[in-house]
Amino acid sequence: MNNKDAQALLTHIVARVQPLLSRGVLPKYIPQLTHVNQLQFGMAFITLDGQEAFVGDADVRFSIQSISKLFALMLALERVGDDLWSRVGREPSGRPFNELVQVDHEAGATRNPFVNAGALVVTDILCSCFAQPELALLQNLRLGARDERIDIDQGVMRSERGSCHRNAAIAHLLKSYGSIRNSVETVLDTYCRQCALAMTARQIARCVLPLAADDGLSVAGTRDSLKAAQRHSVVALMLTCGTYDAAGDFAARVGLPMKSGVGGGIVAVIPGVGSLCAWSPGLDESGNSIAAARAIEIFASHTGLSLLGAREWVRAAP
Ligand code: GLU
């Protein structure tokens, strides 16, 4: 697909998702995120050979929330390699992302890095590797996006830190089982800062692009970091666990490895081709953006760039 075709498809998608923008809810448990204008939509598509197509609010910054779990995982894997998997699993949880009971039931083991328990362990690993882990992450993302304007939204950070009672409970539970090594406060502070990173769809797509490459590139574009097997683990986790408890349904509907966040962003990897990020704030009951999910589904079905190939019936649906 050339850049002109990609741009035309994105323009078509914006029109298709307009009726969906007012649907869904904003995440009330992070009060600051309820002040966002829900009628926004942006999308960016970037190819490995350097073409970029974008549309709508693709350059508006939003709260990346759980998409930060993907970036934290990539950085931690770069640092500690496969030892990470001795502390975090690679199985879907079958439970909500902020589940407490499973952590207790499984004696402090964490199912995967995309549920909050696993993400807190990944953050704990970063806290052991860096004096200021959120700055290491920020620097990595600025390099990957080739854009210095990425930053932590302090208002969102304070809002979440002041109301992160479930994550605090999970972190204390993990600590009681010896699953995190730094103090609970340190891990929670860092976790809330990473979730409060504000980025645009275009910046996110750029940072995820290395996962689509056949050779080993890091987010920051250096060649000596994630090994192929590690990238395969990350991409497989995105497919099986990246969209909360709806990942199985998304695999069947869209057929692409994705990671979503309650800020309304969804990023997708198209192996061997490129990356795609869509954003719109209204969420469905599983925590995924309704319009962003539909946009990526339409993209995949039109282009056939998906495990499922091109699907006429999805193209025709409203
Ligand atoms: N900061 C949010 C939390 O930990 C992230 C949720 C999300 O985007 O899935 O609850």
Side-chain angles (χ1 to χ4, degrees):
M1 189 171 39
N2 64 34
N3 207 32
K4 202 160 148 249
D5 291 343
Q7 194 61 53
L9 177 54
L10 262 52
T11 303
H12 165 77
I13 289 172
V14 179
R16 291 275 300 273
V17 300
Q18 284 306 309
L20 302 178
L21 302 188
S22 55
R23 295 203 196 153
V25 294
L26 300 176
K28 291 198 185 62
Y29 76 103
I30 305 175
Q32 189 78 10
L33 293 185
T34 60
H35 302 148
V36 174
N37 170 8
Q38 192 173 328
L39 298 180
Q40 297 175 94
F41 174 84
M43 190 167 188
F45 170 55
I46 302 194
T47 60
L48 285 167
D49 59 12
Q51 297 184 60
E52 298 195 357
F54 51 93
V55 79
D57 299 311
D59 287 322
V60 174
R61 295 200 304 171
F62 62 92
S63 191
I64 74 169
Q65 292 298 320
S66 269
I67 294 175
S68 70
K69 292 173 173 144
L70 172 62
F71 296 136
L73 173 65
M74 291 168 76
L75 184 57
L77 268 176
E78 277 178 44
R79 276 291 160 144
V80 303
D82 288 331
D83 288 352
L84 183 141
W85 304 121
S86 65
R87 297 186 57 194
V88 187
R90 283 187 289 195
E91 285 297 333
S93 71
R95 305 287 305 160
F97 68 96
N98 55 4
E99 166 76 30
L100 267 162
V101 175
Q102 192 171 53
V103 178
D104 200 24
H105 192 244
E106 298 181 356
T110 56
R111 283 294 181 107
N112 67 68
F114 295 153
V115 289
N116 285 11
L120 287 162
V121 172
V122 172
T123 299
D124 180 55
I125 292 170
L126 292 180
C127 290
S128 299
C129 294
F130 300 98
Q132 291 182 293
E134 66 278 4
L135 292 187
L137 195 54
L138 186 56
Q139 193 180 20
N140 212 33
L141 294 173
R142 284 176 176 168
L143 277 170
R146 303 188 304 281
D147 195 334
E148 289 294 309
R149 289 170 297 179
I150 300 171
D151 231 324
I152 293 168
D153 183 324
Q154 299 295 331
V156 171
M157 189 273 289
R158 279 193 296 274
S159 180
E160 179 165 7
R161 189 66 181 93
S163 60
C164 66
H165 308 300
R166 278 195 79 86
N167 286 334
I170 295 169
H172 278 288
L173 203 49
L174 289 168
K175 186 77 178 171
S176 77
Y177 284 109
S179 301
I180 58 178
R181 297 175 184 165
N182 296 277
S183 78
V184 165
E185 296 309 307
T186 300
V187 173
L188 283 175
D189 284 346
T190 307
Y191 177 79
C192 290
R193 288 187 192 121
Q194 78 177 50
C195 288
L197 280 160
M199 295 174 70
T200 68
R202 191 203 304 246
Q203 291 166 342
I204 291 173
R206 282 184 181 171
C207 288
V208 166
L209 191 61
L211 288 175
D214 294 328
D215 52 358
L217 293 173
S218 70
V219 168
T222 52
R223 283 185 178 272
D224 57 351
S225 48
L226 283 195
K227 297 186 179 68
Q230 293 169 341
R231 273 182 293 114
H232 296 163
S233 290
V234 174
V235 170
L237 277 163
M238 291 173 77
L239 185 68
T240 55
C241 313
T243 42
Y244 307 112
D245 205 16
D249 187 47
F250 272 102
R253 264 174 60 198
V254 182
L256 284 175
M258 301 193 284
K259 182 71 201 90
S260 55
V262 296
I266 305 182
V267 65
V269 174
I270 309 172
V273 176
S275 59
L276 193 59
C277 182
W279 167 63
S280 190
L283 307 177
D284 66 15
E285 58 287 344
S286 64
N288 293 298
S289 165
I290 294 173
R294 181 74 181 129
I296 294 177
E297 182 182 14
I298 296 171
F299 183 96
S301 72
H302 266 260
T303 58
L305 295 172
S306 151
L307 287 172
L308 309 174
R311 283 150 297 142
E312 294 296 331
W313 57 273
V314 177
R315 292 188 198 196

